[in-house]
């Protein structure tokens, strides 16, 4: 006979009650579960987690480079502090997640550190062609690079900010030297000007035919190159002009680049359009263990094609010694400020010598672009598509839609890089296809007035980098500097996205101004999602990497107009300090 036949219903309840009592008694008498001892605990300041479920905290505990606790200081101290735990007092400063680079060119920032700086104010001193010539003469006279390699290169002149409002020609550069090859590159990176010696060096003559998606500008006779090269014509010769840097020289440049990013609070850095040589050097640095930040590389698919490197284990969602390939890069059109971006309607003021119908031009035919996008989808590579004008955006949307039909059920989070002039009617398609946008609102300051007055006119310029539309329609987006196009100043990035003021002080597109919290998320949480890293980065949450930035002030309470003045005091990568300001903070 079983127990169920002996006991009545009430007897069963009595038996269960006794059993429950015994369980509780046993558990109360057991010792408490052991907690993890923290390597370090941050406290004593403002901690902005960017985790909506727990927006702020008094303390954060770290173990083996990861976050193990976020919350009240008393609780964390009780559960995770031992005699070996480092207590790090923030002294009232602000701790936030490390910044994640939405898009830039890490390797080129390194090159910029050893080449002539041709930026206009406030980042440089070149206001006119005479200033450019003087800067190049001074550089030639003092640079060990010129002395060693016999070539002079300057970076980041801007025709829109030069008094002459034109590109320098070979004649302007010949006035500096006719014996030394000279090349100067435009701030967009989509143009270059070469002197006669440099044109000879790269083999461009009156008989040269421009490649598809590129232009060799000519003199009045319609034949003689005037020294200015656009888009693919420039891309085809730029690396032929670069000095034959040794591996040690390039490694030193990359280390200098990393220091710049770390000083601006970036713990994850993107290297867009990585060259083969630079990728190999990054791999060597990774193997040597010299990288401090995470570097995610996106090689140029047109250059690499089906190169075995793209099939190597480095193409991964996981870093090896702070390096991985995240996918591939494609450039669909040019620069809006340089008037080579591809639009569906003409430029407000067309470039000299162009018809009134001029609206820029594509880098690829639809058929060729589809080939590249399908290659990426076939290999499960995330693809970054540089799209400036709305026609390039439309071409990218169509290519992604085609690829998703052929490879249904896949979403590789394709990314529109820049998307300066995405139209309102294109936003629903971007959302539908799961396309991410990495926006460039720094244009509102650097070229906002130029866009209003010359590029697209006052009405269309209002909607450059339309982050307001992305917010209202739940399209995920990040913001970026496109360095070395613009210096990777993290707080200037945030300040510009929040204020959208031009050089003249005009507010360009008020509806697209971000709240400071949204701008912070665009450079942390959203940028982590962009790179498939949302499980490990972007917010201060248990289980994520201890990637932090210490700021001198709280960006959520600082006056909006002064956000760009907030200083980065320290950058922490996986619990280790990798940058600390040397300025006196007292």
């Amino acid at each position: 006979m079983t127990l169920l036949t002996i006991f009545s219903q009430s007897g069963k309840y009595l038996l269960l009650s006794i059993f429950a009592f015994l369980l509780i008694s046993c558990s109360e008498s057991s010792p408490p579960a052991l907690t993890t001892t923290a390597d370090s605990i941050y406290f004593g300041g403002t901690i902005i987690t960017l985790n909506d479920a727990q927006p702020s905290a008094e303390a954060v505990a770290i173990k083996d480079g990861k976050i193990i606790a976020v919350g009240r200081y008393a609780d964390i101290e009780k559960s995770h502090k031992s005699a070996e735990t480092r207590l790090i007092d923030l002294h009232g400063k602000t701790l936030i997640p490390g910044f994640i680079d939405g898009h830039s060119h890490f390797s080129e920032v390194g090159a910029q550190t050893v080449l002539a700086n041709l930026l206009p104010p406030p980042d440089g001193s070149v206001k006119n062609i005479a200033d450019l010539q003087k800067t190049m003469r001074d550089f030639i006279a003092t640079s060990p690079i010129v002395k060693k390699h016999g070539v002079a290169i300057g970076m980041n002149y801007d025709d829109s900010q030069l008094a002459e409002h034109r590109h320098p020609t070979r004649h302007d550069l010949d006035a500096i030297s006719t014996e030394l090859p000279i090349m100067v590159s435009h701030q967009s990176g989509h143009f270059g000007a070469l002197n006669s010696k440099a044109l000879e060096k790269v083999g461009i003559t009156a008989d040269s035919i421009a490649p598809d998606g590129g232009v060799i500008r000519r003199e009045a006779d319609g034949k003689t190159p005037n020294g200015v090269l656009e888009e693919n014509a420039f891309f085809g010769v730029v690396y032929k002009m670069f000095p034959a840097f040794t591996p040690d020289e390039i490694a030193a440049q990359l280390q200098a680049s990393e220091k710049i990013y770390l000083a601006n609070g970036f713990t994850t850095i993107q290297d867009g359009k990585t060259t083969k040589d630079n990728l190999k050097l990054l791999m060597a640095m990774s193997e040597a263990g010299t990288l401090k930040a995470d570097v995610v590389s996106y090689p140029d698919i047109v250059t690499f094609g089906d190169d075995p490197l793209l099939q190597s284990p480095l193409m991964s969602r996981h870093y090896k010694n702070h390096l991985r390939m995240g996918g591939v890069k494609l450039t669909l059109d040019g620069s809006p400020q340089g008037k080579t971006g591809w639009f569906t309607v003409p430029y407000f003021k067309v470039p000299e010598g162009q018809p009134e119908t001029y609206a820029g031009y594509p880098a690829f035919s639809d058929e060729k672009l589809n080939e590249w996008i399908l290659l990426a989808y076939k290999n499960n590579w995330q693809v970054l598509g540089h799209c400036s004008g709305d026609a390039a955006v439309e071409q990218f949307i169509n290519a992604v839609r085609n690829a998703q039909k052929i490879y249904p059920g896949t979403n590789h989070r394709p990314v529109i890089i820049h998307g300066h002039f995405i139209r309102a009617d294109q936003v629903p398609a971007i959302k539908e296809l799961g396309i991410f946008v990495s926006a460039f609102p720094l244009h509102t300051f650097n070229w906002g007035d130029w866009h209003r007055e010359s590029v697209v006119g006052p009405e269309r310029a209002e909607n450059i980098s339309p982050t307001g539309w992305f917010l209202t329609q739940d399209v995920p987006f990040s913001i970026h500097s496109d360095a070395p196009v613009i210096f990777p100043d993290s707080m200037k990035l945030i300040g510009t996205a929040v204020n959208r003021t031009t050089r003249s002080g005009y507010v360009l597109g008020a509806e697209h101004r971000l709240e400071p919290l949204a701008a912070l998320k665009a450079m942390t949480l959203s940028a982590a999602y962009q790179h498939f890293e949302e499980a490990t980065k972007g917010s201060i949450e248990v289980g994520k990497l201890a990637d932090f930035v210490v700021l001198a002030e709280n960006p959520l309470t600082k006056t909006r107009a002064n956000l760009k003045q907030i200083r980065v005091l320290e950058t922490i990568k996986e619990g280790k300090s990798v940058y600390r300001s040397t300025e006196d903070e007292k």
Side-chain angles (χ1 to χ4, degrees), residues 111-328:
Q112 188 181 39
T113 63
V114 297
L115 302 178
N117 176 13
L118 304 178
L119 284 165
D123 303 309
S125 60
V126 175
K127 301 176 184 177
N128 51 48
I129 289 175
D131 287 343
L132 183 150
Q133 291 169 325
K134 181 181 185 304
T135 300
M136 289 303 298
R137 289 189 185 103
D138 292 344
F139 175 71
I140 290 168
T142 59
S143 170
I145 298 295
V146 176
K147 184 176 180 180
K148 179 177 179 179
H149 295 283
V151 62
I153 298 178
M155 291 182 68
N156 289 350
Y157 78 86
D158 183 2
D159 63 308
S160 75
Q161 299 303 314
L162 294 176
E164 297 85 355
H165 278 180
R166 66 171 177 84
H167 295 266
T169 66
R170 69 181 179 92
H171 301 291
D172 298 315
L173 301 182
D174 283 348
I176 301 169
S177 174
T178 56
E179 301 299 321
L180 185 72
I182 298 173
M183 179 181 76
V184 295
S185 63
H186 189 262
Q187 191 171 358
S188 68
H190 287 254
F191 300 81
L194 284 67
N195 72 346
S196 298
K197 193 70 173 178
L199 290 171
E200 178 185 331
K201 177 181 172 71
V202 300
I204 290 182
T205 69
D207 296 324
S208 296
I209 300 172
D212 291 341
V215 172
I216 299 172
R217 293 194 181 181
R218 313 283 178 168
E219 295 187 352
D221 62 7
K223 294 182 179 180
T224 306
N226 77 351
V228 179
L229 306 177
E230 299 181 10
E231 302 299 335
N232 287 342
F234 177 59
F235 299 150
V237 305
V238 60
Y239 293 110
K240 296 179 183 178
M241 278 296 300
F242 259 66
F245 290 123
T246 66
D248 286 344
E249 286 175 322
I250 298 177
Q253 293 168 24
L254 293 173
Q255 288 173 341
S257 175
E258 185 179 51
K259 288 180 181 178
I260 292 170
Y261 283 92
L262 293 175
N264 282 281
F266 287 97
T267 51
T268 301
I269 308 167
Q270 189 184 112
D271 191 36
K273 210 170 183 178
T274 313
T275 66
K276 291 184 180 181
D277 288 343
N278 284 340
L279 181 59
K280 290 175 182 177
L281 282 165
L282 284 169
M283 292 168 67
M285 292 176 70
S286 170
E287 289 298 324
T290 58
L291 289 173
K292 296 179 179 179
D294 284 342
V295 177
V296 54
S297 164
Y298 288 85
D300 178 26
I301 191 172
V302 176
T303 302
F304 278 72
D306 58 358
D307 191 293
L309 269 174
L310 296 186
Q311 303 289 352
S312 73
L314 192 62
M315 183 70 79
S316 169
R317 299 275 164 82
H318 305 286
Y319 291 91
K320 181 181 179 182
N321 295 333
H322 297 300
L323 179 67
R324 71 180 179 95
M325 281 189 287
V328 292

Side-chain angles (χ1 to χ4, degrees), residues 28 67 93 202 308 386 471 489:
E28 287 180 345
I67 300 166
K93 307 305 181 186
V202 300
H386 164 115
L471 280 174
D489 183 330

Side-chain angles (χ1 to χ4, degrees), residues 255-552:
Q255 288 173 341
S257 175
E258 185 179 51
K259 288 180 181 178
I260 292 170
Y261 283 92
L262 293 175
N264 282 281
F266 287 97
T267 51
T268 301
I269 308 167
Q270 189 184 112
D271 191 36
K273 210 170 183 178
T274 313
T275 66
K276 291 184 180 181
D277 288 343
N278 284 340
L279 181 59
K280 290 175 182 177
L281 282 165
L282 284 169
M283 292 168 67
M285 292 176 70
S286 170
E287 289 298 324
T290 58
L291 289 173
K292 296 179 179 179
D294 284 342
V295 177
V296 54
S297 164
Y298 288 85
D300 178 26
I301 191 172
V302 176
T303 302
F304 278 72
D306 58 358
D307 191 293
L309 269 174
L310 296 186
Q311 303 289 352
S312 73
L314 192 62
M315 183 70 79
S316 169
R317 299 275 164 82
H318 305 286
Y319 291 91
K320 181 181 179 182
N321 295 333
H322 297 300
L323 179 67
R324 71 180 179 95
M325 281 189 287
V328 292
K329 172 84 183 287
L330 270 168
T331 301
L332 278 72
D333 70 341
S335 157
Q337 70 270 32
K339 300 187 180 180
T340 55
W342 185 29
F343 289 95
T344 55
V345 296
Y347 279 88
F348 190 61
K349 295 182 180 178
V350 301
E352 184 179 354
Q354 294 289 354
E356 290 301 311
T357 55
Y358 175 79
Y361 49 89
F364 307 108
S365 66
D366 292 346
E367 293 75 18
K368 194 63 183 177
L369 178 64
N370 281 335
E371 286 182 24
W372 294 124
I373 298 290
L374 287 173
L375 178 63
Y377 266 72
K378 176 183 176 182
N379 287 283
N380 198 31
W381 299 333
Q382 185 184 33
V383 60
L384 311 186
H386 164 115
C387 306
S388 291
D390 64 321
V393 170
E394 193 72 20
Q395 189 186 38
F396 188 72
I397 288 171
N398 291 336
V400 168
R401 181 178 284 113
N402 176 66
Q404 291 186 6
K405 287 179 180 177
I406 294 173
Y407 296 97
T410 61
N411 184 358
H412 306 313
R413 292 184 195 170
V415 180
I416 289 176
I417 296 295
H418 310 325
H420 300 293
F421 291 98
I422 289 172
R423 301 191 312 265
D425 65 288
Q426 292 173 323
V427 177
I430 289 170
K431 180 179 180 179
E432 172 203 345
L433 295 169
I435 296 174
F436 189 97
V437 180
S438 188
F440 196 179
L442 270 168
H443 260 251
T444 57
F445 174 78
N446 280 65
W447 295 287
D449 294 324
W450 179 244
H451 288 311
R452 294 183 75 243
E453 297 162 5
S454 186
V455 178
V456 293
E459 183 177 348
R460 288 164 63 198
E462 291 291 314
N463 294 316
I464 188 172
S465 299
T467 48
W469 296 343
F470 305 153
L471 280 174
T472 57
Q473 298 195 45
D474 294 322
V475 172
F477 68 94
S478 65
I479 58 178
H480 65 257
S481 67
D482 200 25
V485 172
I486 298 178
F487 193 79
D489 183 330
S490 55
M491 296 314 301
K492 185 177 180 181
L493 262 168
I494 290 170
T496 307
V498 167
N499 294 293
R500 290 180 65 101
T501 51
T502 69
R503 290 176 185 268
S504 67
Y506 178 83
V507 175
L508 187 60
E511 70 173 294
H512 301 300
R513 288 180 294 184
L514 298 178
E515 291 299 319
L517 180 62
L520 283 176
K521 287 183 176 180
M523 289 179 58
T524 52
L525 269 174
S526 293
Y529 176 84
Q530 172 187 340
H531 293 97
F532 291 91
E533 298 182 25
E534 66 270 24
T536 57
K537 297 177 181 176
S539 59
I540 299 177
E541 295 184 60
V542 172
K544 291 192 174 184
L545 296 178
D547 291 358
F548 306 138
V549 182
V550 180
L551 300 176

